[in-house]
């Protein structure tokens, strides 16, 4: 089996700057979402985590490459080199370009600024020499300029490529004598069109493509990932407002060039730029509309009144409470098609980096009826609550609190963040309260991971208040296993004829399905559980993302077979009722033998042979999980793969499991 590469990793460790990382994440997400998850990675993770199998692109942004060297020289650079030589792509921007060259020469002769030395990666087999233009000052725009670049259309053939354009520059170098390395796999993608400040040797290469083993690297002196809209016109620097204006005028060719470079590295790139998503209204409703009024009463001590309007101001978000009578139906717009901006913030109207947490969240309270389809065209509340009632009626105990209250938004930050990070609100929410969305723009995953959440994913988070009195025999750690079971059971009991769908659990909290095209298991979902201890109970938020109809970036449920079709409303209702039933059983009996058998029925790992890296590369066979604390059990293998009797128990929060490599690594 081979795992699908879906992560674009942007280095954010020692040496990188916050602004360079932000700009890089912003532009790459616009061009690569939803095909890839564009996320940050630390130096420690590069050295110690199993990132290479799922990495589609490794990016080193602007900053100071000496910081990169101090962190990654030796073990880290060996892993990066192996990743590229074995087929992986590398993108180096400014400092990342210096870092990817065989030799760095920066501000030679300036005693305060000078950096000279060989570099270990050496993707470009020569010297990167800078600054190409004078005036560079760290953490300043004094030396910034709109540098003119002349593009090689013979080297870049993907899509519409500009002949010449202006691009943000601040301290990058020139790739010396680049044409002389053509026989070593070096191509010049763009050259400086203006006279530069250092000796470039032959040519004036500003962007180069370097073939490295089975992979490749693109090294850039300027910053095509920097958008003019995200630059501060008031920053220090002579004539910087003019620089911003020049960059804004060439914004389209800038993005076309960056798109062509990513395509040359083998990535699946959006041919149309994704606009900055606008957050939509939130809608709060209940199975019985009168229950919404009761919930609102329980929130009264959180509600403040200002200028006649009601607000809930919490740690992460501020919610403005609205009632349907105060909202004209003529103003209803379809958020995803862009016909209405719910938040008319200037930043949301342009291509800007948006701080979504600072945007006011409008919360519509539905106390008389469920939201009409015109209000929520991408989620049919009537269909959801009807399915919920139907599935609840089939539960053994004919009760289920999960899904009774639903908070829905077409475009939200993160359902998990809205619940878990607003702790005052969380303390007032009942077990089973669920937040769901059609699109989320800041989805959260385990550790540093995110789950790509475009339209076509089922995205939701559910509150569970787990009493401390149950914890000794029914630990909260099992919530992730119950959620995984609820997803698979929910899928396979969605309707008659769905029981044999090839959906499995990967320890500890991922959902995999057999891709009908590649015939290998691919990730289609993930689970994130966050718990807080408060007043003799654990307040837990169980977050779930599941590819339902969207086959990117892996595959989807609806791609598993022509006779199996899911709707988000009905699938959400089925998973919630399944979770309600499983959690009720767990509270009575713990993770007993019947739940254990059900779990093993669906998981991928029984008797899988793995390597325990933290134990010196010992080979071991996976035996299961413990029923007391949910630890992964692995038995050491000896001669002819016979068990030696030595057993390890591994915590889910301390270890990562690369299923396809059969590797269990200690998380740091």
């Amino acid at each position: 089996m081979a795992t699908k590469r879906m992560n674009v990793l942007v280095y954010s460790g020692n040496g990188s700057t916050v602004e360079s990382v932000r700009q890089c994440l912003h532009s790459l997400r616009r061009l690569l979402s939803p095909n890839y998850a564009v996320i940050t990675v630390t130096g420690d993770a590069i050295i110690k985590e199993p990132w290479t199998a799922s990495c589609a692109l490794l990016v080193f942004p602007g900053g100071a490459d000496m910081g990169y060297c101090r962190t990654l020289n030796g073990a880290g650079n060996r892993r990066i080199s192996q990743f590229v030589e074995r087929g992986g792509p590398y993108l180096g921007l400014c400092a990342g370009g210096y870092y990817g060259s065989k030799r760095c020469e920066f501000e030679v002769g300036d005693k305060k600024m000078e950096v000279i030395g060989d570099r270990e990666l050496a993707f470009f087999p020569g010297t990167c020499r800078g600054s190409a233009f004078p005036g560079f000052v760290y953490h300043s725009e004094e030396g910034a300029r709109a540098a003119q670049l002349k593009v090689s259309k013979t080297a870049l053939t993907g899509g519409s490529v500009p002949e010449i354009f202006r691009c943000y520059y601040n301290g990058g170098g020139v790739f010396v004598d680049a044409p002389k390395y053509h026989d070593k796999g070096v191509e010049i993608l763009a050259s400086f069109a203006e006279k530069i400040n250092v000796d470039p040797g032959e040519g004036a290469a500003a962007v180069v493509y370097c073939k490295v083993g089975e992979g490749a690297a693109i090294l850039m002196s300027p910053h095509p990932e920097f958008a003019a809209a995200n630059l501060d016109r008031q920053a220090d620097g002579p004539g910087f407002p003019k620089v911003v204006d020049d960059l804004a005028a060439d914004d389209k060719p800038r993005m076309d060039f960056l798109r062509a470079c990513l395509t040359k590295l083998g990535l699946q790139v959006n041919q149309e730029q994704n606009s900055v998503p606008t957050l939509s209204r939130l809608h709060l409703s209940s199975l019985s509309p009168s229950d919404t009024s009761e919930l609102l009463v329980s929130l009264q001590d959180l509600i403040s009144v200002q200028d006649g309007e009601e607000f809930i101001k919490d740690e992460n978000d501020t919610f403005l409470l609205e009632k349907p009578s105060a909202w004209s139906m003529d103003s209803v717009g379809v958020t995803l098609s862009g016909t209405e901006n719910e938040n008319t913030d200037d930043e949301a109207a342009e291509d800007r980096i948006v701080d979504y947490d600072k945007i006011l969240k409008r919360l519509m309270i539905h106390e008389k009826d469920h939201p009409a389809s015109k209000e929520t065209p991408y989620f049919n509340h009537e269909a959801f609550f009807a399915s919920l009632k139907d599935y609840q009626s089939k539960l053994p105990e004919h009760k289920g609190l999960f899904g009774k209250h639903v908070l829905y938004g077409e475009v939200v930050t993160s359902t998990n963040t809205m619940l878990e990070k607003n702790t005052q609100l969380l303390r007032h929410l009942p077990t089973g309260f669920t937040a769901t969305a059609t699109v989320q723009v800041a989805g959260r995953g385990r550790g540093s991971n995110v789950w790509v959440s475009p339209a076509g994913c089922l995205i939701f988070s559910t509150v569970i208040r787990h009493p401390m009195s149950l914890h000794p025999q029914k630990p909260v750690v099992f919530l992730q296993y119950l959620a995984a079971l609820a997803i698979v059971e929910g899928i396979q009991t969605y309707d008659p004829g769905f029981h044999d769908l090839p959906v499995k659990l990967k320890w500890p909290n991922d959902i995999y399905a057999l891709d009908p095209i590649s015939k290998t298991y691919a990730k289609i979902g993930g689970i994130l559980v966050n718990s807080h201890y408060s007043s003799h109970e654990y307040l837990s938020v169980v977050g779930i993302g599941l590819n339902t109809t969207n086959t990117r970036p892996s595959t989807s449920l609806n791609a598993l077979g022509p006779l199996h079709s899911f709707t988000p409303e009905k699938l959400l209702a089925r998973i919630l009722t399944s979770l309600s039933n499983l959690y009720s059983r767990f509270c009575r009996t713990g993770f007993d033998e019947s739940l254990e058998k059900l779990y093993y029925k669906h998981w991928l790992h029984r008797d899988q042979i793995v390597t325990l890296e933290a134990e010196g590369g010992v080979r071991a066979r996976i035996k299961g999980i413990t029923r007391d604390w949910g630890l992964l059990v692995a038995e050491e293998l000896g001669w002819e793969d016979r068990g030696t009797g030595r057993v390890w128990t591994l915590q889910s929060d301390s270890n990562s499991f690369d299923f396809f490599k059969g590797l269990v690594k200690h998380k740091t």
Side-chain angles (χ1 to χ4, degrees):
M1 295 184 186
T3 185
K4 191 166 184 176
R5 296 177 184 246
M6 58 175 283
N7 290 332
V8 172
L9 303 180
V10 178
Y11 177 77
S12 62
N14 186 26
S16 66
T17 66
V18 172
E19 185 60 21
S20 290
V21 172
R22 289 176 68 241
Q23 294 269 8
C24 194
L25 292 172
H26 175 73
S27 288
L28 291 180
R29 283 172 177 165
R30 289 191 66 203
L31 290 175
L32 299 176
S33 177
N35 302 311
Y36 306 93
V38 182
I39 59 180
T40 58
V41 64
T42 64
D44 208 41
I46 286 176
I47 295 170
K48 299 177 181 178
E49 292 284 338
W51 56 271
T52 56
S54 61
C55 180
L57 174 67
L58 180 63
V59 184
F60 271 71
D65 96 313
M66 284 299 294
Y68 303 166
C69 294
R70 283 190 288 269
T71 301
L72 296 167
N73 274 358
N77 285 337
R78 282 194 295 272
R79 295 198 75 190
I80 295 171
S81 294
Q82 289 172 358
F83 165 72
V84 178
E85 288 168 358
R86 294 172 182 175
Y90 171 99
L91 176 63
L93 303 160
C94 196
Y98 284 112
Y99 188 57
S101 300
K102 185 176 182 180
R103 182 172 175 81
C104 170
E105 295 180 2
F106 179 75
E107 296 294 329
V108 176
D110 186 325
K111 293 182 179 179
K112 293 183 178 179
M113 303 274 284
E114 182 179 273
V115 177
I116 303 175
D118 293 339
R119 296 293 182 261
E120 293 181 349
L121 295 180
F123 297 142
F124 175 66
T127 298
C128 184
R129 180 178 294 151
S131 298
F133 298 98
F136 173 75
V137 178
Y138 280 109
H139 310 296
S140 169
E141 301 290 6
E142 282 194 33
R145 65 191 292 139
Q148 282 198 338
L149 300 181
K150 185 176 181 180
V151 180
S152 170
K153 287 198 168 186
T154 57
L156 282 177
T157 58
S160 174
V161 182
E163 288 189 12
I164 192 166
F165 73 102
R166 289 166 294 188
C167 180
Y168 177 80
Y169 166 92
N170 198 357
V174 62
F175 298 96
V176 179
D177 288 326
K180 295 182 179 180
Y181 298 107
H182 181 75
D183 59 347
K184 294 186 178 181
V186 174
E187 301 176 45
I188 299 173
L189 304 186
S191 301
F192 290 113
E194 307 159 281
K195 184 178 180 180
I196 58 178
N197 194 47
V198 295
D199 180 8
E202 183 180 340
V207 182
V208 293
Y209 171 90
C210 309
K211 184 65 178 164
V212 184
E214 296 179 8
I218 288 182
L219 310 181
M220 300 188 178
S221 167
H223 289 276
E225 80 283 13
F226 271 50
N230 294 319
L231 295 172
D232 181 5
R233 296 174 61 87
Q234 307 305 315
D236 294 336
F240 192 62
K242 174 67 163 56
V243 171
V244 175
D245 290 340
D246 289 344
L247 294 172
D250 279 6
D251 193 64
K252 184 181 184 303
R254 169 189 72 87
M255 289 296 279
D256 287 342
F257 177 77
L258 184 56
R259 180 184 289 110
C261 289
L262 294 171
T263 301
K264 190 173 181 69
L265 285 174
L267 279 85
Q268 185 178 350
V269 186
N270 299 322
Q271 293 309 307
E272 296 296 329
Q273 296 173 192
N274 287 338
S275 60
V276 179
T278 301
L279 300 184
S280 65
R281 259 185 190 86
L282 302 169
H283 296 267
L284 177 62
S285 58
S286 303
L287 180 61
S288 173
S290 61
D291 290 337
T292 304
S293 300
E294 293 182 15
L295 179 62
L296 197 60
V297 169
S298 71
L299 301 177
Q300 282 303 310
D301 60 338
L302 301 181
I303 298 174
S304 60
V305 179
Q306 183 178 339
D307 297 328
E309 294 186 308
E310 294 183 327
F311 296 86
I312 294 178
K313 298 181 180 181
D314 215 321
E315 294 178 19
N316 196 78
D317 296 300
T318 297
F319 302 91
L320 170 62
L321 275 55
E322 299 178 329
K323 301 293 179 68
S325 59
W327 188 35
S328 168
M329 288 301 296
D330 293 336
S331 68
V332 176
V334 180
T335 304
L336 294 182
S337 64
T339 58
E340 180 196 23
N341 284 335
E342 302 279 13
N343 293 287
T344 57
D345 190 291
D346 289 340
E347 290 190 349
E350 299 182 42
D351 178 23
R352 291 181 181 267
I353 298 173
V354 178
D355 187 345
Y356 290 105
D357 292 339
K358 293 182 179 178
I359 296 177
L360 182 69
K361 314 302 188 297
R362 297 179 177 272
L363 175 55
M364 183 68 62
I365 310 295
H366 295 269
E367 299 179 83
K368 296 181 179 179
D369 297 294
H370 296 145
S373 59
K374 189 176 181 181
E375 298 172 80
T376 60
Y378 295 94
F379 188 82
N380 188 320
H381 283 77
E382 294 294 347
F384 166 73
F385 286 120
S387 296
L388 190 70
K389 279 185 178 179
D390 179 54
Y391 286 131
Q392 284 180 344
S393 69
K394 300 171 184 176
L395 290 177
E397 299 177 0
H398 298 287
K399 67 177 182 178
L401 299 177
F402 288 66
K404 177 182 178 181
H405 303 290
V406 169
L407 178 67
Y408 168 76
E410 286 176 10
V411 182
V412 305
T413 51
S414 160
T415 60
N416 193 280
T417 296
M418 283 196 300
L419 299 183
E420 195 251 333
K421 295 297 182 182
N422 292 302
T423 55
Q424 295 183 67
L425 179 62
L426 179 61
R427 291 190 186 103
H428 288 73
L429 297 178
T431 288
F433 183 97
T434 298
T436 186
T438 299
V439 172
Q440 60 183 16
V441 296
R444 299 167 62 197
R446 186 171 178 246
S448 61
N449 297 328
V450 296
W451 180 249
V452 182
S453 305
C457 289
L458 176 60
I459 311 157
F460 67 98
S461 296
T462 297
V463 176
I464 296 180
R465 307 177 74 104
H466 191 65
M468 184 62 184
S469 60
L470 296 178
H471 188 67
Q473 287 77 39
K474 295 101 178 179
V476 72
V477 68
F478 278 99
L479 292 183
Q480 62 186 330
Y481 303 142
L482 297 177
L485 266 177
I487 294 170
V488 177
E489 286 284 298
I491 290 169
Q492 295 184 346
T493 60
Y494 179 84
D495 260 339
F498 283 63
H499 65 278
D500 58 349
L501 280 180
V503 181
K504 297 289 185 181
L505 314 175
K506 174 184 158 305
W507 184 87
N509 47 17
D510 289 329
I511 308 299
Y512 277 63
L514 188 64
D515 188 329
I517 298 175
S518 67
K519 305 301 181 183
T520 62
Y521 276 95
K523 181 176 177 179
I524 62 166
I527 302 158
L528 175 67
V529 180
N530 292 107
S531 298
H532 304 275
Y533 179 68
S534 176
S535 301
H536 308 295
E537 65 180 351
Y538 285 98
L539 295 176
S540 299
V541 177
V542 180
I544 292 171
L546 189 64
N547 278 356
T548 307
T549 62
N550 193 324
T551 58
R552 298 178 297 177
S554 52
T555 187
S556 72
L557 288 175
N558 279 4
L560 299 184
L563 302 180
H564 303 101
S565 179
F566 294 86
T567 65
E569 298 87 352
K570 186 173 178 179
L571 183 58
L572 175 60
R574 186 65 195 102
I575 293 174
L576 287 174
T577 50
S578 179
L579 180 58
S580 179
N581 182 49
L582 289 167
Y583 179 66
S584 178
R585 286 175 58 183
F586 175 70
C587 288
R588 289 196 310 270
T589 66
F591 200 73
D592 62 5
E593 186 177 354
S594 63
L595 280 177
E596 182 183 44
K597 287 181 178 179
L598 186 62
Y599 186 81
Y600 292 150
K601 173 185 174 183
H602 297 302
W603 85 326
L604 285 167
H605 308 297
R606 194 61 181 263
D607 292 328
Q608 182 184 358
I609 295 176
V610 300
T611 299
L612 304 180
E613 187 170 275
E615 304 299 333
V618 168
R619 281 169 58 82
R621 190 186 307 277
I622 298 299
K623 305 302 291 184
I625 59 174
T626 65
R627 281 164 49 184
D628 52 359
W629 294 102
L631 305 178
L632 185 71
V633 179
E635 182 185 16
E636 182 183 46
L637 296 178
W639 185 65
E640 293 186 343
D641 284 342
R642 295 177 181 176
T644 67
R646 187 179 182 186
V647 172
W648 284 273
T649 54
L650 308 171
Q651 294 183 11
S652 61
D653 289 342
S654 301
N655 294 275
S656 57
F657 197 155
D658 189 330
F659 169 72
F660 298 98
K661 283 191 172 182
L663 181 66
V664 178
K665 297 192 65 171
H666 184 68
K667 287 176 67 70
T668 55

